Each structure stands twice: as C-alpha cells, then as structure tokens.
Amino acid sequence: MLVLLPPSEGKAPSGRGAPLKPDALSLPELAAAREAVLEELVELCTADEDKAREVLGLSEGLRDEVAKNAGLRTAGARPAGEIYTGVLYDALDLASLDTAARRRAGRSLLVFSGLWGAVRVTDRIPSYRCSMGVKLPGLGALAGHWRAPMAEALPAVAGGGLVLDLRSAAYAAAWKPKGEVAERTATVRVLHAPTRKVVSHFNKATKGRIVRSLLTAGAVPKGPAELVEALRDLGYAVEAQAPQKAGRAWSLDVLVTEIH
C-alpha cells in the first residue's frame, strides 16, 4: 500500500541536527528536479526578500519564512514526519505509533512537496516554505516542473498494490496515476453525513485518523475494494464508486456525523 499525503503549510522548526543531505533522500530519480528548485528558492530568498515574499505568497507577518528558505542548505534536518505539522499530521500522530506501525508508515507514506517533489516520512529535511502552487521566476509553476520526473519515478514506487490518494488538488496536479496504476488507486472525500458537505478542518483530521487506523491495524488492502472492506471493519462509514471506464481511480466518500 502506498499512501499519498499533502504536506502541511505550517512546519516544525528545523532544530539543530545535521544539515540536509540531498543524496540521502528517497526517490533519487527526483534528485535533479529537487536541486533545481532548491537552488532557485535559496537564491531568490537570499537576493530579494520582498520579491521572495511576493513569489511565495507570504504576508508581512511571515517575513521570517524567507530567511528560513535562504538558509536551507545549512539548516538542521529532521525526519519529514516530525517537520510536517497541522491538522492531518496531528491526527496521524506518528510519534505515538508503536514500533511496527512506525515501520509501516516509513514504507507506505509518501508526502508531496513543492520543494522536494515527494519524500518518505523518514527522510531528513529542514523546515521550509514553498507550496506546490508557487510559480518560480526561472522554473515556472512547480506542479508543471514536477510532472515529468514524477511520471517517471512514481509508477515504480507504487508497485503492484493499492494507492490511497489523500492529496489536495494542488499536489495531485504534480502526478496523476494512469492506466493500471489508476485502477488500483482510491481517492477519498470526507463528508459531514447530515449535510453531505466537505469541511476543510474535518476533512484533514479524518484523513489523518484513517491513515493511523490502517497503520495501527496492520491492514494491507490489495486494492480499492479491499480498502473499503478494511475501513468498514475499522468502524468507518464508507460509500464507494468504482470507475466506469478503464484507467480511472475509485472514489470513496467517508461519512462522519461529528465535526471535531
């Protein structure tokens, strides 16, 4: 099982660990594309703070994020699972998983990123600010920058099992599963059952709980149909829609009654 996650906008501090070692990151096929983004981002944030804030879409109150980006090559690095914070990651709570579940998380979770493309939660990275929606002056829109290298690297990473896609639209734009990979992919919406509406905070928290439940239970569904069964066994109310055409993903709605 491969679980595709969005990053969090807010991130924990880098800390005082050893600095980034780009060649130690997972998915080495993305190395050249990562270096291109890292080089331009560091240069932009070092040369012109005001322009960097404009490009990154940062308010005056987030000016310190520019300086953080300027120091990416020398900042301390920590496991990505500790860097990413926010609603989904709080609900997932990787740090409190038992040893077996943490190992499963290291093998199955893949976090998409405007800067790194995609990283495992065990990959050591510094704290940064660069969303997939950014358009860098030299490289252009990051989703477009990542599309070709992702298309080359990700099918092999997906292997022959289930792909559980929990990404937001901006990050899904960097890689869309195709062909037989798409047919074993499931996307998930979380709906407030009484209103059938998506609520952002609620959506993220429930997705974090879903991933945690699967990791804790040691569930290894082979495909979307088996995922539906596993989630129902774990107590989730799930409605599934199988694709009507070949080469399309399954759509799952997880229905919840309480917003928390």
Side-chain angles (χ1 to χ4, degrees):
M1 178 175 67
L2 180 67
V3 183
L4 310 180
L5 297 175
S8 58
E9 189 169 295
K11 298 172 184 69
S14 293
R16 297 182 179 180
L20 172 72
K21 295 180 179 179
D23 58 355
L25 296 177
S26 302
L27 282 68
E29 302 90 341
L30 303 180
R34 285 173 178 146
E35 178 57 30
V37 181
L38 181 61
E39 182 177 3
E40 183 169 355
L41 183 63
V42 170
E43 182 178 346
L44 171 68
C45 292
T46 301
D48 190 331
E49 187 176 278
D50 290 331
K51 182 178 180 181
R53 281 202 306 113
E54 180 182 352
V55 168
L56 297 173
L58 301 177
S59 67
E60 175 66 32
L62 294 173
R63 183 175 288 271
D64 288 349
E65 299 290 285
V66 177
K68 180 165 68 175
N69 282 348
L72 282 171
R73 292 192 185 276
T74 57
R78 298 167 59 187
E82 297 177 13
I83 290 290
Y84 294 117
T85 59
V87 176
L88 188 155
Y89 291 92
D90 285 348
L92 175 53
D93 195 9
L94 287 167
S96 70
L97 292 174
D98 63 34
T99 301
R102 282 200 301 272
R103 288 194 187 118
R104 288 191 282 271
R107 292 193 302 267
S108 62
L109 305 188
L110 196 65
V111 184
F112 276 62
S113 162
L115 174 53
W116 313 114
V119 292
R120 303 281 188 185
V121 293
T122 51
D123 284 330
R124 298 181 66 84
I125 59 173
S127 185
Y128 67 97
R129 190 66 171 253
C130 184
S131 73
M132 190 65 80
V134 164
K135 185 176 181 179
L136 291 175
L139 292 176
L142 289 179
H145 169 75
W146 285 112
R147 207 162 286 137
M150 289 286 196
E152 182 178 350
L154 266 292
V157 177
L162 169 71
V163 178
L164 175 54
D165 190 351
L166 302 179
R167 298 172 296 167
S168 56
Y171 291 89
W175 181 61
K176 183 177 181 180
K178 298 182 183 299
E180 62 88 17
V181 179
E183 293 171 3
R184 48 187 166 83
T185 296
T187 62
V188 174
R189 295 190 307 172
V190 180
L191 303 181
H192 184 217
T195 63
R196 293 281 169 154
K197 291 182 179 179
V198 174
V199 183
S200 179
H201 180 284
F202 190 25
N203 177 54
K204 293 175 183 177
T206 303
K207 286 179 177 178
R209 294 187 191 104
I210 286 171
V211 177
R212 182 181 177 86
S213 295
L214 291 169
L215 293 172
T216 301
V220 189
K222 296 180 180 179
E226 292 83 359
L227 172 64
V228 172
E229 293 179 8
L231 291 176
R232 287 173 177 165
D233 288 345
L234 290 167
Y236 293 94
V238 182
E239 294 178 353
Q241 182 175 344
Q244 300 300 308
K245 295 182 180 180
R248 302 285 179 87
W250 284 56
S251 299
L252 274 57
D253 287 341
V254 176
L255 307 178
V256 285
T257 56
E258 296 181 3
I259 299 178
H260 58 89

